[in-house]
Amino acid sequence: MALQEKTSKLVINSPEANPEFEALLDYLKHSQDCDLTGYRRSTLMRRFQHRMQSININSYQNYRQYLQSEPRELLDLLNDVLINVTSFFRDRDAWDYLATDIIPKIIASKQPDEPIRVWSAGCAAGQEIYSSLILLAEALGIESCLKRVQCFATDVDEPAIWQARQGTYSARDITGIPPVLLKKYFQHTKEGYVFHPQLRRTIIFCRHNLAKDAPMSKIDLLMCRNVFIYFNPEAQASILVRFHFALKNTGFLFLGKAESVTTARKIFTPVSWKYHVYAKGLNLEREDYLSIINPAKLKASGRTSIVEVPEKATVSEPHPAALLDLRL
Ligand SMILES: C[S@@+](CC[C@H](N)C(=O)[O-])C[C@H]1O[C@@H](n2cnc3c(N)ncnc32)[C@H](O)[C@@H]1O
């Protein structure tokens, strides 16, 4: 079945209200290779204005000139726009549900030696991927976890990835970790609390833009929490198609407390509304993924199959030109 038949209408990303702001976003996209067009305008404008106020600039036009003359400003702006707030076992009851209901299901769906693949997309300083790894190690035992679990922790923000890779946290950072788990999985050193080095090596950290780059594949547990809220509905729908591709048929998607799959209800079904866990719904075909993820590049490469998209892709891919509405 073609994707069009599974969907109700075509949505083209509509031009937003403030032309001056859109011109600034256009400048950033084309001249600074920094594409923020998929983010919600209300949040984005608030963040820009916060930056502009701090340097006494009162128009988007003047801010654009400032960005041109002060290359460092783009880093400060991104620091404000890409909110890195995170914590271990954030929304604790959802993690308890993951430990008691979802992780056992994932393990039960596998042969005893089969790999388990986890992806934290928008991982910030890494607390989310380490939280999931602790739960898996608790369920499988550390030895088996080391043999079977493969993790990916990705973020668009390089400094966040760097921090995540260190796996070293302050006394303030570790407050959400139950003492028994803290003792088992962290070593208290003079640099801080250092995560279990062997387990840390099961994680591949890389820069990855959710709205742009090819997704991972064969994932059993995909966590993308408190990231989605920053994107507009069109970008959310496009990301959800990528996630659908990334997940195994038996895989689970774990979103944040304020997030849902409303922009793509047909392709995901709720496992728990309360804890924002979803399974794959309607199947998509290869052509469906290609039409969203990247028709042009795939055609140019002469490849014919979506499964040939690199698994650990950090390659930049152009945006899709139009997005299909997957809502009911
Ligand atoms: C609020 S933090 C959420 C961290 C963690 N997932 C959690 O729930 O605690 C949002 C993260 O999303 C990242 N992010 C924003 N836009 C992104 C994009 N286009 N691709 C990948 N990560 C992105 C930010 O850099 C930031 O680290």
Side-chain angles (χ1 to χ4, degrees), residues 18-37 41 44 48 64:
N18 187 322
E20 225 186 284
F21 188 62
E22 292 309 307
L24 176 54
L25 293 185
D26 208 52
Y27 160 75
L28 288 172
K29 180 175 172 179
H30 296 294
S31 305
Q32 304 270 10
D33 195 22
C34 170
D35 187 358
L36 299 174
T37 52
R41 292 304 184 269
L44 215 48
F48 271 65
R64 173 184 163 157

Side-chain angles (χ1 to χ4, degrees), residues 35 39 78 81-87 90-91 120-125 127-128 154-157 160 208-212 223-227 229-231 239 256:
D35 187 358
Y39 292 79
L78 287 179
V81 168
L82 305 171
I83 301 142
N84 290 140
V85 178
T86 185
S87 57
R90 186 175 188 179
D91 310 318
S120 165
C123 67
Q127 284 88 330
E128 185 172 274
T154 65
D155 201 288
V156 74
D157 187 13
H208 179 275
N209 185 341
L210 283 172
K212 202 170 158 192
M223 297 164 289
C224 185
R225 310 193 69 233
N226 309 297
V227 181
I229 31 171
Y230 303 116
F231 289 97
I239 294 169

Side-chain angles (χ1 to χ4, degrees), residues 39-81:
Y39 292 79
R40 275 183 204 282
R41 292 304 184 269
S42 50
T43 323
L44 215 48
M45 285 167 107
R46 254 197 328 272
R47 301 276 153 203
F48 271 65
Q49 275 159 20
H50 177 254
R51 254 329 289 160
M52 287 159 61
Q53 268 164 20
S54 71
I55 48 177
N56 269 328
I57 290 182
N58 57 11
S59 82
Y60 292 125
Q61 223 168 2
N62 291 348
Y63 189 50
R64 173 184 163 157
Q65 280 161 10
Y66 187 75
L67 278 160
Q68 268 165 327
S69 62
E70 294 287 337
R72 160 93 225 162
E73 175 57 21
L74 183 59
L75 296 177
D76 291 336
L77 172 68
L78 287 179
N79 221 8
D80 268 20
V81 168

Side-chain angles (χ1 to χ4, degrees), residues 199-215:
L199 280 173
R200 182 171 51 84
R201 283 196 278 276
T202 63
I203 311 173
I204 292 170
F205 297 92
C206 58
R207 184 174 186 274
H208 179 275
N209 185 341
L210 283 172
K212 202 170 158 192
D213 296 331

Side-chain angles (χ1 to χ4, degrees), residues 133 142-143 145-146 149 185 195-203:
L133 194 47
I142 292 180
E143 281 310 306
C145 186
L146 287 170
V149 175
Y185 293 99
F195 186 75
H196 195 295
Q198 272 180 299
L199 280 173
R200 182 171 51 84
R201 283 196 278 276
T202 63
I203 311 173

